Amino acid sequence: LVVGMVLLILGTAAFSGYGWEGVRDWTLFSQRQNAFAAFPTAEDLPCPAPVQAGAYTITVERACWGELEDGSGHLYLHVACTTGQFWLEGPDLWSTLEAVDSGGTRYRYGRAPWLTGFKDDSHILSRGWITVENIPAGTAWVEITHPMGGWSIRVELPERGART
């Protein structure tokens, strides 16, 4: 009975985002590789430094750039949000984010050009993604902000052809 309870607790922790990152990465609950599958030539980018967002530390674990034939591209960020306050759910990064790029293009949830994020109900550690789509050719960087939270993440994009 004790062994069964320990396995149940550890299994719950592994699949709810509390631990065993490696186990979660290859389960059906993981979305980590799906965003990159559309771009077989996706390029990893340097990850920006972690940011403090109130009670959370937001860390970009992987940044990836996928370019389309017309030179526009998509930016994918795999993000981990951690907090020492176990009673808090993961932050809402679904419809609350905005972005601007070096050319002045604004990206918002629900409007083209698109910016999407995630909402994870895990506590202590939540993982998810932030996607900025249809970034014009020649864009040097994208800055993702949380207007109400007052924090931002800036990602430098790779130089390609018309990029400046």
Side-chain angles (χ1 to χ4, degrees):
L1 185 59
V2 171
V3 170
M5 290 300 293
V6 168
L7 291 175
L8 179 64
I9 291 169
L10 292 176
T12 301
F15 295 112
S16 65
Y18 292 153
W20 286 4
E21 179 181 352
V23 172
R24 189 172 183 204
D25 288 349
W26 54 264
T27 66
L28 295 175
F29 298 95
S30 175
Q31 300 281 327
R32 294 189 78 170
Q33 299 301 322
N34 293 350
F36 303 109
F39 297 97
T41 59
E43 177 180 346
D44 282 327
L45 303 175
C47 294
V51 296
Q52 195 62 37
Y56 302 96
T57 300
I58 299 177
T59 305
V60 176
E61 296 181 325
R62 184 176 181 195
C64 188
W65 172 258
E67 196 162 310
L68 301 173
E69 290 180 14
D70 65 0
S72 68
H74 292 17
L75 175 66
Y76 298 101
L77 304 178
H78 283 279
V79 179
C81 301
T82 56
T83 181
Q85 299 176 10
F86 65 88
W87 58 90
L88 295 177
E89 289 183 355
D92 183 2
L93 301 181
W94 183 253
S95 60
T96 57
L97 298 176
E98 295 181 1
V100 65
D101 66 26
S102 60
T105 304
R106 293 205 161 285
Y107 304 83
R108 293 189 180 102
Y109 174 76
R111 297 185 212 169
W114 299 97
L115 169 76
T116 56
F118 70 95
K119 171 71 170 103
D120 188 347
D121 294 331
S122 298
H123 299 260
I124 301 173
L125 169 65
S126 55
R127 281 199 161 81
W129 68 94
I130 299 171
T131 305
V132 183
E133 299 180 8
N134 299 320
I135 301 168
T139 303
W141 51 263
V142 172
E143 187 165 5
I144 300 165
T145 62
H146 190 286
M148 293 174 54
W151 55 266
S152 66
I153 298 171
R154 184 173 172 146
V155 180
E156 301 292 328
L157 300 179
E159 292 187 25
R160 294 260 199 260
R163 291 187 186 284
T164 57

